[in-house]
């Protein structure tokens, strides 16, 4: 009886071993496919000719680890193109090689087309939602960062503070306007007239804050700072002739009042859209800030 039981055990062990040997060689040949870097130009996120973006996806990206930076050009909401930010994207790609970059255009307002706010704001919301919907296709995470210059920074902050879906993890603000009524009332110089600001905001050169308080208020990022606002780093030139530095100092005070993680860097002698050593310092400080707060 004992001998029969022992024999049965031996047979079962042999059968199990045979089955395992049949499976293991098959499993051994299954290897992960390498993910290569990819560049896609003029990807449409809407039906308008300006609703396009350039996409830069890094190698070996994943939906859990690959962070996203959306880059938004300036130009007073009426000029500019994503190509203006190409140097910024190339520089930041070298410093943040694991990020995916999306360099976006948006509809511009002009006397010819009269597309005032909130069209530009809505375009940034649309492109952010579009990129989020493509996460599985692009193999990117939900860790989104917005970087904008001047008018682009204004749009980045509106998305991050007001329209945060998905929730933005950080904002890089390069000399962006934060209070549109104050931009109208206290222009930085004769280069910025209250007529031009009124047209941008309302589509009407006579559209004053007194006549259109709601649209001036709703287009001002300063009014949407909250406890939930993402970490924000702000850069500004002290001699800015287009956007007063007070636009940034008021923002940093509002962020501080809400206890939001923030950093303010002022270059006392720099004008708008500065270059050279100050811009290199901006890259360095922005990258350090993102490495610290976007995990």
């Amino acid at each position: 009886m004992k001998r029969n039981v022992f024999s049965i055990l031996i047979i079962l062990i042999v059968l199990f071993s045979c089955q395992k040997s049949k499976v293991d060689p098959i499993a051994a040949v299954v290897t992960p496919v390498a993910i290569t870097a990819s560049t896609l130009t003029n990807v449409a996120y809407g039906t308008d000719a300006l609703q396009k973006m350039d996409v830069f996806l890094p190698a070996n990206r994943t939906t859990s680890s690959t962070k996203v930076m959306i880059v938004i050009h300036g130009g007073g909401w009426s000029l500019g193109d994503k190509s203006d930010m190409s140097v910024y994207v190339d520089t930041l790609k070298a410093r943040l090689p694991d990020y995916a970059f999306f360099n976006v255009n948006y509809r511009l307002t002009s006397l010819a087309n009269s597309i005032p706010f909130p069209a530009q704001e809505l375009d940034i919301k649309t492109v952010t939602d579009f990129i989020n919907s493509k996460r599985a296709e692009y193999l990117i995470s939900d860790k989104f960062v917005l970087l904008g210059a001047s008018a682009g920074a204004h749009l980045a902050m509106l998305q991050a503070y007001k329209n945060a879906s998905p929730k933005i993890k950080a904002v890089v603000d390069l000399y962006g306007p934060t209070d549109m009524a104050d931009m109208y009332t206290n222009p930085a110089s004769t280069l910025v007239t209250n007529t031009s600001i009124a047209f941008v905001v309302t589509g009407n050169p006579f559209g004053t804050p007194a006549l259109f308080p709601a649209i001036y208020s709703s287009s001002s990022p300063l009014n949407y700072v909250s406890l939930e606002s993402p970490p924000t780093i702000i850069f500004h030139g002290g001699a800015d002739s287009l956007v007063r530095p007070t636009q940034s100092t008021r923002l940093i005070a509002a962020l501080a009042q809400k206890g939001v993680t923030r950093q303010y860097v002022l270059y006392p002698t720099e004008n708008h859209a500065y270059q050279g050593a100050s811009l290199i310092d901006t890259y360095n400080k922005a990258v350090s800030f993102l490495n610290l707060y976007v995990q």
Side-chain angles (χ1 to χ4, degrees):
M1 183 67 178
K2 290 183 179 180
R3 178 176 295 179
N4 289 340
V5 172
F6 181 75
S7 298
I8 292 170
L9 288 174
I10 292 296
I11 292 169
L12 290 174
I13 290 170
V14 170
L15 287 174
F16 178 78
S17 298
C18 291
Q19 289 175 356
K20 185 177 181 182
S21 66
K22 290 178 182 178
V23 173
D24 282 353
I26 297 173
V29 299
V30 178
T31 56
V33 177
I35 305 299
T36 59
S38 179
T39 297
L40 308 170
T41 58
N42 291 317
V43 176
Y45 66 87
T47 58
D48 191 276
L50 282 174
Q51 291 173 317
K52 300 284 179 63
M53 63 179 177
D54 295 336
V55 180
F56 305 91
L57 303 173
N60 303 317
R61 58 194 179 274
T62 72
T63 55
S64 61
S65 64
T66 302
K67 299 166 188 174
V68 173
M69 183 177 291
I70 301 173
V71 179
I72 310 169
H73 71 81
W77 306 277
S78 59
L79 300 169
D81 183 81
K82 55 186 167 63
S83 61
D84 299 340
M85 301 301 287
S86 293
V87 172
Y88 291 78
V89 171
D90 289 344
T91 302
L92 290 167
K93 279 170 59 183
R95 293 166 183 253
L96 296 168
D98 295 331
Y99 270 70
F101 287 84
F102 296 80
N103 191 10
V104 306
N105 271 347
Y106 51 90
R107 287 172 294 171
L108 304 172
T109 186
S110 70
L111 289 172
N113 63 32
S114 186
I115 304 177
F117 276 100
Q120 297 73 32
E121 172 192 339
L122 293 177
D123 279 359
I124 301 308
K125 185 179 188 309
T126 297
V127 73
T128 303
D129 290 342
F130 179 85
I131 294 168
N132 189 51
S133 75
K134 293 284 190 177
R135 283 180 51 220
E137 177 181 336
Y138 290 151
L139 295 176
I140 55 176
S141 76
D142 60 353
K143 299 168 185 176
F144 283 30
V145 172
L146 296 180
L147 179 148
S150 193
H154 164 266
L155 297 175
M157 287 184 283
L158 275 179
Q159 174 63 27
Y161 303 158
K162 178 184 178 183
N163 301 315
S165 176
K167 182 171 173 57
I168 305 304
K169 304 301 183 185
V171 175
V172 181
D173 162 20
L174 278 65
Y175 36 86
T178 63
D179 184 336
M180 298 304 287
D182 187 67
M183 284 282 289
Y184 177 95
T185 306
N186 299 300
S189 70
T190 55
L191 297 174
V192 182
T193 66
N194 51 19
T195 298
S196 65
I197 294 299
F199 182 79
V200 165
V201 175
T202 67
N204 180 347
F206 305 104
T208 69
L211 290 175
F212 297 92
I215 184 62
Y216 276 90
S217 177
S218 66
S219 61
S220 297
L222 188 67
N223 294 332
Y224 295 94
V225 172
S226 72
L227 297 173
E228 301 301 318
S229 295
T232 302
I233 185 167
I234 305 164
F235 299 92
H236 217 121
D240 196 320
S241 59
L242 295 180
V243 180
R244 286 184 182 274
T246 51
Q247 293 277 320
S248 288
T249 56
R250 292 180 63 200
L251 174 63
I252 202 72
L255 293 168
Q257 197 275 328
K258 297 294 184 180
V260 177
T261 299
R262 73 273 174 199
Q263 184 177 346
Y264 178 44
V265 182
L266 178 69
Y267 302 106
T269 62
E270 293 287 6
N271 204 325
H272 200 71
Y274 52 82
Q275 300 291 320
S278 294
L279 182 56
I280 293 172
D281 184 69
T282 293
Y283 290 137
N284 291 338
K285 286 185 168 63
V287 168
S288 295
F289 187 87
L290 297 179
N291 285 339
L292 187 60
Y293 294 112
V294 183
Q295 302 299 326

